[in-house]
Amino acid sequence: MVRYLITRLGQALIVIVLVTVIAFIILHLLPGGAARSALGKEATLEQLAAFNHEMGYDRPWVQQYLMYVQRLLHGDLGYSFQLNQSVTEAIAQRLPKTMVLSLLSTLLAVVVAIPLGVIQAVRRNRWPDYTITSLSLLAYATPIFFMGLMMIILFSQVWPILPPEAPQGFTLGEMLAEPAGLVLPTVTLAIVTIAVYSRYIRSSMVDNLNENYVRTARSKGLSERRVVVLHTLRNGLFPVITLLGMYLPALFSGALVVESLFNFPGMGQLFWQAALKRDFPILLGVTLIISVATVLGALLADLLYAAVDPRVRLRGRTS
């Protein structure tokens, strides 16, 4: 298992280095260069040259990349002249809010998807399976912005029981003080995730229900509920553990739409506003953070999978 962990850590480190290289290349492929992006179209050649000299953009590319990595290691993601603040500060203000929204939607998705997947597997090829499958496919095929609009119309207009806008508090505590405003964004972001997770759980559960250890447990006289919950479900959740880490990019893309739709002051809304204003430092900073988080999420999923799957530990002993 130690060899497996070292291999995965090495692969994650290589991917993170490649991410920084790609971000560095994109920064230098901006229309007119980083100086033109920061100073605007009316900047003179002298101003552009002074900016490039101050930022070190007139040095060799290898030296620039090493300086770029050094700034990243010190938490410097650049400066947004549109917001007149550092990219690190702008992200730090909004990242906790997006993390709360993503965490709430993921918890809701897992809590709902597990029983739905189990019901589909146990009642496979019957009407509960067909009904949940049809609803899952409908939810997966529906654009998330349309789903959010329907949520606003139904629960803020037709039945005015929830606010149509997310909490607008500047701090995380102020936002959590208005839990009703988090309901619609959380549910909207969770619906597609529920559809995906329930299908994975169903498929994994169906495979495990046909294994020999399940037949052995039944032959010993264990109840069907005990066989499903204590034996099959535990092994059926292995693929979902990996999926949790790999699903981070899709979760952020959904958060981008949901935050813009419900005016949620998180990273998704920051990214969307930066795209409209061509604020490239913000775009690159957010992209870099999400890329690194995706790699670390996949690594964490692999480590959790290795911790709970005895086959990985066995391979580690025999290698």
Side-chain angles (χ1 to χ4, degrees):
M1 182 176 178
V2 175
R3 183 178 178 180
Y4 172 82
L5 297 181
I6 293 176
T7 302
R8 296 299 297 143
L9 287 171
Q11 292 173 350
L13 181 60
I14 293 174
V15 173
I16 291 176
V17 172
L18 291 177
V19 168
T20 62
V21 172
I22 293 173
F24 174 78
I25 294 175
I26 293 176
L27 179 65
H28 287 76
L29 293 179
L30 296 176
R36 180 67 69 183
S37 174
L39 301 181
K41 298 180 180 179
E42 299 180 358
T44 63
L45 295 178
E46 291 78 11
Q47 291 173 330
L48 295 176
F51 181 87
N52 287 329
H53 180 72
E54 180 182 357
M55 300 299 296
Y57 293 148
D58 55 351
R59 301 181 182 181
W61 276 44
V62 175
Q63 188 176 358
Q64 289 186 49
Y65 175 73
L66 295 178
M67 293 172 56
Y68 176 70
V69 173
Q70 185 179 11
R71 290 197 299 267
L72 291 180
L73 293 176
H74 286 82
D76 182 8
L77 297 175
Y79 191 84
S80 171
F81 292 91
Q82 299 282 352
L83 300 177
N84 196 26
Q85 67 177 155
S86 67
V87 176
T88 304
E89 182 181 351
I91 292 177
Q93 292 175 353
R94 295 163 176 82
L95 180 59
K97 302 171 185 178
T98 297
M99 290 179 64
V100 169
L101 178 62
S102 301
L103 179 61
L104 291 176
S105 64
T106 302
L107 288 177
L108 177 62
V110 171
V111 169
V112 176
I114 289 178
L116 289 181
V118 172
I119 293 174
Q120 287 180 272
V122 174
R123 302 294 182 182
R124 60 185 179 278
N125 299 328
R126 301 178 187 175
W127 71 264
D129 184 23
Y130 296 144
T131 302
I132 298 175
T133 298
S134 300
L135 293 176
S136 298
L137 293 177
L138 179 62
Y140 188 76
T142 303
I144 193 169
F145 70 88
F146 179 78
M147 195 174 301
L149 288 175
M150 294 301 298
M151 289 286 184
I152 294 175
I153 293 174
L154 290 176
F155 299 106
S156 296
Q157 304 297 326
V158 179
W159 301 295
I161 57 178
L162 293 171
E165 189 178 50
Q168 299 301 304
F170 183 76
T171 64
L172 184 60
E174 292 175 352
M175 296 191 66
L176 294 178
E178 303 178 40
L182 294 172
V183 174
L184 289 183
T186 300
V187 173
T188 302
L189 188 59
I191 287 179
V192 176
T193 311
I194 292 173
V196 174
Y197 285 4
S198 64
R199 296 299 297 165
Y200 270 89
I201 295 173
R202 178 197 182 277
S203 178
S204 180
M205 287 286 295
V206 169
D207 291 339
N208 280 276
L209 284 172
N210 294 322
E211 293 291 338
N212 291 329
Y213 73 89
V214 175
R215 299 189 184 96
T216 302
R218 287 171 175 164
S219 65
K220 292 181 179 180
L222 297 180
S223 64
E224 187 66 19
R225 177 180 297 182
R226 191 178 182 87
V227 171
V228 171
V229 175
L230 296 184
H231 297 274
T232 313
L233 181 59
R234 181 177 59 183
N235 294 326
L237 291 179
F238 286 162
V240 180
I241 295 176
T242 305
L243 186 65
L244 286 173
M246 299 301 296
Y247 202 68
L248 186 60
L251 193 63
F252 175 74
S253 64
L256 190 153
V257 177
V258 170
E259 290 182 6
S260 301
L261 184 62
F262 291 96
N263 196 24
F264 189 94
M267 279 185 61
Q269 188 185 62
L270 176 67
F271 189 88
W272 175 252
Q273 293 175 348
L276 295 178
K277 299 177 182 178
R278 299 174 63 85
D279 193 346
F280 293 108
I282 291 290
L283 294 176
L284 287 175
V286 173
T287 301
L288 185 63
I289 291 294
I290 296 301
S291 301
V292 173
T294 302
V295 174
L296 295 179
L299 176 62
L300 179 61
D302 288 338
L303 296 180
L304 291 175
Y305 190 89
V308 298
D309 192 349
R311 291 171 293 182
V312 176
R313 296 195 295 268
L314 183 61
R315 285 199 300 267
R317 293 173 184 174
T318 58
S319 61

